[in-house]
Amino acid sequence: SENMAKVTTEHEQELEAEEEEIKRQKIRVKLTKMFEHLDIDKSDHLTRNEFMMIWDDESREQEFEELTGRTKEDANEIFEALSTIELGQQVKSISRDAFIEGLNTEGNPLTLRSIMRLEKRVAELEPQLRKALGKPPERQASQASFR
């Protein structure tokens, strides 16, 4: 029957989602261990030099590639994408969370939902950034209509 097929499909999708989440948890654990090993000064941030140590060890490099699907050729791009300059710091570094979460989603296909979440996050951060920079809040498009 059609209903039975629908229920079966939904169940298969739920199982797939659960398996994907278990896989993510395992990757998160491995990335956490890798971060801790790379974070020589135990600052909870990786400097560029600490991050680049991934490629000093063949087994670590291989594990990184298996976990993220990224290679040494991607190193600078990854560092730039995940690093920030923390308040009071002079150099860019990657926080523990940015390393783990940023790399754990790296293999995912880009979806409309993820783009919408990103747009929402940017929209939430913009007023805070404007305030921190001492700039006036930008008028919303709905307010800026012809008057």
Side-chain angles (χ1 to χ4, degrees), residues 66-82:
E66 287 169 8
L67 294 173
T68 67
R70 302 302 293 264
T71 63
K72 186 175 184 174
E73 286 71 42
D74 303 316
N76 285 320
E77 179 187 340
I78 295 168
F79 186 84
E80 289 305 318
L82 299 178

Side-chain angles (χ1 to χ4, degrees), residues 52-112:
M52 293 301 181
M53 287 181 353
I54 290 169
W55 292 277
D56 291 349
D57 177 82
E58 201 172 311
S59 64
R60 189 183 311 131
E61 178 177 355
Q62 187 176 355
E63 182 181 28
F64 183 83
E65 197 169 327
E66 287 169 8
L67 294 173
T68 67
R70 302 302 293 264
T71 63
K72 186 175 184 174
E73 286 71 42
D74 303 316
N76 285 320
E77 179 187 340
I78 295 168
F79 186 84
E80 289 305 318
L82 299 178
S83 64
T84 55
I85 297 179
E86 296 290 315
L87 213 55
Q89 300 290 319
Q90 281 76 41
V91 294
K92 282 186 173 184
S93 63
I94 303 174
S95 71
R96 174 187 296 265
D97 287 345
F99 181 84
I100 295 163
E101 298 311 317
L103 291 170
N104 202 3
T105 57
E106 185 61 46
N108 290 356
L110 194 59
T111 63
L112 183 58

Side-chain angles (χ1 to χ4, degrees), residues 7 34 56 58 78-79 91 110 114 119 129 131 143:
V7 169
M34 185 179 290
D56 291 349
E58 201 172 311
I78 295 168
F79 186 84
V91 294
L110 194 59
S114 64
E119 287 176 336
L129 184 58
K131 185 177 180 183
Q143 296 171 330

Side-chain angles (χ1 to χ4, degrees), residues 2-80:
E2 195 175 304
N3 194 32
M4 186 68 168
K6 183 181 176 200
V7 169
T8 302
T9 302
E10 287 174 359
H11 181 69
E12 286 170 354
Q13 288 172 339
E14 285 175 20
L15 286 176
E16 248 178 63
E18 285 176 27
E19 286 172 12
E20 191 63 37
E21 186 52 37
I22 290 168
K23 183 179 165 190
R24 275 190 188 301
Q25 291 292 348
K26 288 179 180 177
I27 291 172
R28 187 173 285 119
V29 167
K30 289 178 180 181
L31 285 172
T32 299
K33 285 180 183 171
M34 185 179 290
F35 181 93
E36 289 168 356
H37 186 77
L38 294 169
D39 186 19
I40 302 295
D41 62 3
K42 304 299 175 212
S43 64
D44 258 2
H45 283 78
L46 296 181
T47 63
R48 182 179 293 275
N49 288 342
E50 288 173 324
F51 175 73
M52 293 301 181
M53 287 181 353
I54 290 169
W55 292 277
D56 291 349
D57 177 82
E58 201 172 311
S59 64
R60 189 183 311 131
E61 178 177 355
Q62 187 176 355
E63 182 181 28
F64 183 83
E65 197 169 327
E66 287 169 8
L67 294 173
T68 67
R70 302 302 293 264
T71 63
K72 186 175 184 174
E73 286 71 42
D74 303 316
N76 285 320
E77 179 187 340
I78 295 168
F79 186 84
E80 289 305 318

